[in-house]
């Protein structure tokens, strides 16, 4: 158990509505990530954070924003959800040390109708 | 060109056989390499990592790394039906902050 909690675990929302996914960690790791996973594309990085208020874009950041106001929380916001954002979203954490890997939360299944 | 490439499979092996999973990566500056297992509807879980050329063994699993060929593999000995899952190869990039994943290889172990 890597001490990661994602919420909500499942959500159905309508096109055009804002959605926020929350990732909470209990182990004070410096790095936090948001990935989405889609058939044929694998895991793709959306945004990541390397400290409080320090974030950077990944390869599929368009349409997403993030915030990290506390070490333990990393929020992913879809400002105006689209059907193409229907996906499974995984939060991950890493200490950042060489050799350390990343550990994933249980995932958030988002459906945009 | 994708950072990490895997044969998507599906790969089927009989119970007790050796399953061989392969992965190539594009960035020679990549630091370390990981194998994850993912069951349907679940999150990826780490099997093992390797960062030096050669073999690394952990129980029934052996990871092999060849940096000159930019190639990583995972061997699963004495395959069990419970090994049926999708296996993800991941690479830690040169900056150390980002991890890149292949699309995964689906493995089925037939009893």
């Amino acid at each position: 158990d890597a001490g990661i909690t994602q919420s909500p675990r499942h959500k159905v929302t309508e096109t055009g509505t804002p959605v926020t996914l929350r990732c909470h960690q209990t182990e004070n790791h410096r790095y936090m990530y948001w990935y989405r996973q889609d058939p044929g594309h694998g895991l793709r990085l959306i945004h990541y954070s390397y400290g409080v208020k320090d974030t950077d874009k990944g390869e599929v950041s368009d349409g997403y924003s993030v915030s990290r106001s506390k070490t333990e929380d990393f929020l992913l916001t879809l400002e105006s959800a689209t059907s193409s954002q229907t996906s499974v979203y995984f939060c991950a954490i890493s200490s950042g040390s060489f050799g350390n890997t990343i550990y994933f939360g249980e995932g958030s299944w988002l459906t945009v109708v | 060109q994708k950072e990490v490439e895997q044969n998507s499979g599906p790969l089927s092996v009989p119970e007790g056989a050796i399953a061989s999973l392969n992965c190539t990566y594009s960035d020679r500056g990549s630091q370390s390499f990981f194998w994850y297992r993912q069951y349907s509807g679940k999150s990826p879980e780490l099997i093992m990592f390797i960062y030096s050329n050669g073999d690394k063994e952990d129980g029934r699993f052996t990871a092999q790394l060849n940096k000159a060929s930019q190639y990583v593999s995972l061997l699963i000995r004495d395959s069990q039906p419970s090994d049926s899952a999708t296996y993800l190869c991941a690479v830690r990039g040169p900056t150390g902050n980002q991890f890149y994943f292949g699309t995964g290889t689906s493995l089925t172990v037939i009893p």
Side-chain angles (χ1 to χ4, degrees):
Chain A
D1 182 1
I4 308 169
T5 304
Q6 291 185 229
S7 60
R9 294 290 316 284
H10 297 87
K11 186 174 181 66
V12 180
T13 192
E14 294 187 348
T15 298
T17 60
V19 177
T20 295
L21 305 180
R22 179 181 183 244
C23 179
H24 178 80
Q25 60 146 330
T26 60
E27 298 185 356
N28 207 35
H29 286 289
R30 178 182 178 191
Y31 288 88
M32 299 185 75
Y33 305 81
W34 277 108
Y35 284 87
R36 60 178 289 177
Q37 188 174 38
D38 305 286
H41 292 279
L43 283 160
R44 293 180 292 175
L45 181 64
I46 305 171
H47 282 280
Y48 70 100
S49 170
Y50 45 97
V52 173
K53 299 191 190 302
D54 292 322
T55 65
D56 205 350
K57 296 179 179 180
E59 62 178 305
V60 290
S61 59
D62 288 348
Y64 301 95
S65 62
V66 291
S67 66
R68 191 170 179 195
S69 58
K70 297 184 291 185
T71 299
E72 59 267 35
D73 289 326
F74 192 32
L75 303 181
L76 177 70
T77 297
L78 291 66
E79 301 292 347
S80 178
T82 67
S83 59
S84 65
Q85 293 176 311
T86 293
S87 187
V88 181
Y89 291 86
F90 288 103
C91 175
I93 60 172
S94 171
S95 69
S97 301
F98 176 79
N100 275 38
T101 186
I102 61 174
Y103 296 93
F104 289 89
E106 294 183 319
S108 294
W109 274 254
L110 177 66
T111 302
V112 183
V113 298
Chain B
Q1 182 184 6
K2 286 190 174 181
E3 295 277 349
V4 182
E5 301 263 12
Q6 291 182 254
N7 187 334
S8 61
L11 175 65
S12 294
V13 299
E15 184 174 355
I18 296 175
S20 177
L21 306 164
N22 305 312
C23 172
T24 57
Y25 60 96
S26 60
D27 193 330
R28 286 192 175 275
S30 299
Q31 298 182 2
S32 42
F33 309 87
F34 309 87
W35 283 100
Y36 288 80
R37 176 176 60 199
Q38 186 175 25
Y39 293 112
S40 181
K42 301 295 185 182
S43 61
E45 55 180 341
L46 179 69
I47 299 174
M48 61 191 305
F49 68 90
I50 186 168
Y51 52 84
S52 297
N53 274 329
D55 296 358
K56 180 180 179 181
E57 186 174 318
D58 184 0
R60 296 186 297 111
F61 299 95
T62 299
Q64 299 173 318
L65 173 61
N66 183 327
K67 290 187 177 180
S69 300
Q70 296 175 241
Y71 178 89
V72 191
S73 66
L74 180 70
L75 300 178
I76 307 174
R77 292 183 299 280
D78 188 24
S79 295
Q80 301 297 309
S82 59
D83 294 327
S84 298
T86 296
Y87 288 80
L88 304 174
C89 174
V91 172
R92 187 179 182 130
T95 65
N97 301 331
Q98 294 197 32
F99 295 79
Y100 301 96
F101 288 80
T103 53
T105 299
S106 175
L107 171 68
T108 300
V109 180
I110 303 167

